[in-house]
Amino acid sequence: MQNDVVYLDHAATTPLDERVLEAMLPHLGRAPNGSPRGNPSSLHAPGVFAREAIEDARASVAQLVGADDSGEILFTAGGTESDNLAVLGLAAADPDKKHVVISAVEHPAVREAAGRLGAAGYEVTSIGVDADGLVSPAELAGALHSDTVLAAVMWANNEVGAVQPIEEIAAICYEAGVPLHVDAVQAAGRLPIDVSRIPVSTLALSAHKLYGPQGVGALYVRGGVDLEPVLFGGGQEKGLRSGTENVAGIAGFGEAARLAFEELEERTRHEEALRETLISGVTGIPGVRLNGHREKRLSSNVHVSVEGVEAESLVLFLDALGCAVGSGSACASSTAGHKASPVLLAMSRTPEEAISSIRITVGKDTTQEEVTSFLDSCATAIAQLRELSPLYTGKS
Ligand code: PMP
């Protein structure tokens, strides 16, 4: 891979912050006092060193989401596990209720977990979205009933960046006495999150979306909320997530969360300026249409359908020009082949529009120069691909 890649795929994963790496090294065999690595459950000094790192990280993650008690944060192996634990664990905790409500634009980690419940006999209601990708709180309210064991609505969408009215949705679920799970994997570090004000029951986070390491995440579980584990073993993380903790990963997540909390406003402002340059540049190309709400969208996200161009060809063409962007949702694209994104279909886009969509996501270290250079490459790539396409009718 070239060294000078213009990396615009921060929704897929973010670069590891140097400061985060520094926080991880003492737990990867570089303890300043020469201490060997310990198991955080051990009582001796190396164990205590590891335990303290985990508890410091727990406090930083709690602060990022506004949790009063750091004991409400459980560490997991990532956003997927957090989502699975919430959906399956909330359902198992109240086995008499057999109805689940999710939005149509959930990440597969929620959608597929709800699908497992469906296969086990639960009724699963999927709430649609409008053309901008937004859930209607009224429609959600209408779907809840006395048999509803949980609702799941993501804070911000990983493909089109749409930011849902979570405050309103949480209030509705709270009133109805239905636990709400919120996937905040894309929102954390980009939007202020305050669970002390918003009555969510569980909330999923992933470190690698906020400049932390891959393979580590967290689930916020409000005190008093009943949750059954999905992993069984040594009883770590209050019995809700057995398995020796990923100490270095968790220490890195803690530092990433601390920095995200401190730098949130600055990062968001920086990203928004880049996003605006990108939106005006890219939608200035004929036949390019923005997907997702114009304002209610993540600071980092630009998602467009490009008429007459197939997304994967565009991504590969741009890659050859040194620019990394996503085709639809990177989480799915290696397995999905040419399948149209369910998120775009739920937004009433045609299958043709859906398979012609790319996601361009900036980050805290992206520069205006990179954006300008990307826009040049993008115009070139689109023009050349259209020239080759027998289907494109708008040739000059
Ligand atoms: N939810 C959302 C909204 C995501 O964007 C992702 C990552 N693509 C996940 C869940 C899964 O997180 P992880 O990659 O840490 O398993």
Side-chain angles (χ1 to χ4, degrees):
M1 191 163 107
Q2 307 103 306
N3 286 325
D4 52 356
V5 170
V6 175
Y7 184 78
L8 297 175
D9 202 11
H10 290 78
T13 197
T14 52
L16 188 73
D17 191 302
E18 278 296 321
R19 297 166 292 180
V20 168
L21 178 59
E22 282 303 313
M24 295 172 71
L25 290 176
H27 305 283
L28 287 168
R30 293 216 206 141
N33 58 2
S35 166
R37 177 173 74 182
N39 185 314
S41 296
S42 300
L43 298 177
H44 45 58
V48 170
F49 182 61
R51 170 59 51 203
E52 283 175 357
I54 291 177
E55 297 316 318
D56 286 352
R58 207 185 299 284
S60 299
V61 174
Q63 181 186 46
L64 180 66
V65 298
D68 300 327
D69 175 1
S70 65
E72 295 174 319
I73 302 296
L74 300 178
F75 288 113
T76 67
T80 299
E81 189 189 318
S82 298
D83 281 332
N84 274 239
L85 173 57
V87 172
L88 302 177
L90 287 170
D94 195 353
D96 292 340
K97 296 185 175 172
K98 298 286 185 198
H99 175 230
V100 171
V101 178
I102 65 169
S103 89
V105 293
E106 292 304 298
H107 187 272
V110 167
R111 202 171 58 233
E112 296 292 325
R116 298 300 299 180
L117 294 175
Y122 284 68
E123 182 196 347
V124 180
T125 304
S126 177
I127 301 292
V129 292
D130 65 13
D132 288 331
L134 297 176
V135 169
S136 148
E139 195 180 336
L140 177 95
L144 305 177
H145 55 68
S146 58
D147 199 35
T148 311
V149 70
L150 74 110
V153 180
M154 69 203 320
W155 201 306
N157 183 260
N158 47 299
E159 292 184 45
V160 297
V163 177
Q164 301 298 345
I166 284 297
E167 199 161 341
E168 220 179 315
I169 287 168
I172 289 166
C173 292
Y174 183 75
E175 283 291 306
V178 172
L180 173 67
H181 170 62
V182 174
D183 176 334
V185 167
Q186 294 287 341
R190 299 215 161 77
L191 293 168
I193 295 177
D194 187 358
V195 295
S196 73
R197 256 185 355 91
I198 302 185
V200 307
S201 293
T202 53
L203 180 129
L205 302 168
S206 175
H208 76 101
K209 308 289 185 174
L210 39 87
Y211 308 93
Q214 295 169 335
V216 57
L219 185 67
Y220 161 79
V221 184
R222 184 176 298 280
V225 167
D226 282 336
L227 191 74
E228 284 291 314
V230 298
L231 291 179
F232 302 92
Q236 289 89 344
E237 298 296 283
K238 295 180 163 171
L240 285 168
R241 203 284 176 176
S242 282
T244 301
E245 296 87 340
N246 171 2
V247 183
I250 291 171
F253 187 10
E255 182 64 359
R258 194 183 67 73
L259 293 166
F261 183 74
E262 243 175 54
E263 298 173 1
L264 183 79
E265 254 185 68
E266 188 190 322
R267 289 183 186 181
T268 312
R269 223 177 309 117
H270 174 74
E271 288 182 352
E272 271 169 2
L274 300 170
R275 180 192 69 190
E276 292 309 301
T277 308
L278 272 169
I279 291 179
S280 58
V282 86
T283 58
I285 301 170
V288 175
R289 170 183 181 183
L290 184 70
N291 295 312
H293 196 277
R294 184 64 183 83
E295 277 89 41
K296 293 175 190 165
R297 72 184 309 127
L298 288 172
S299 51
S300 51
N301 178 289
V302 178
H303 191 286
V304 287
S305 295
V306 183
E307 198 192 324
V309 170
E310 193 263 323
E312 286 180 13
S313 310
L314 182 52
V315 169
L316 293 176
F317 203 123
L318 285 167
D319 186 47
L321 298 177
C323 299
V325 302
S327 59
S329 161
C331 318
S333 57
S334 58
T335 50
H338 282 55
K339 254 170 72 185
S341 147
V343 171
L344 291 169
L345 298 181
M347 291 163 62
S348 309
R349 293 292 187 272
T350 63
E352 291 71 32
E353 285 172 315
I355 62 160
S356 323
S357 299
I358 60 164
R359 180 184 66 182
I360 309 152
T361 45
V362 299
K364 69 181 177 69
D365 299 317
T366 307
T367 63
Q368 280 287 357
E369 291 70 42
E370 287 180 308
V371 164
T372 307
S373 143
F374 166 76
L375 286 171
D376 278 351
S377 301
C378 194
T380 306
I382 292 174
Q384 294 204 16
L385 286 169
R386 281 177 174 168
E387 213 43 59
L388 295 170
S389 167
L391 300 176
Y392 185 62
T393 50
K395 287 180 192 152
S396 50

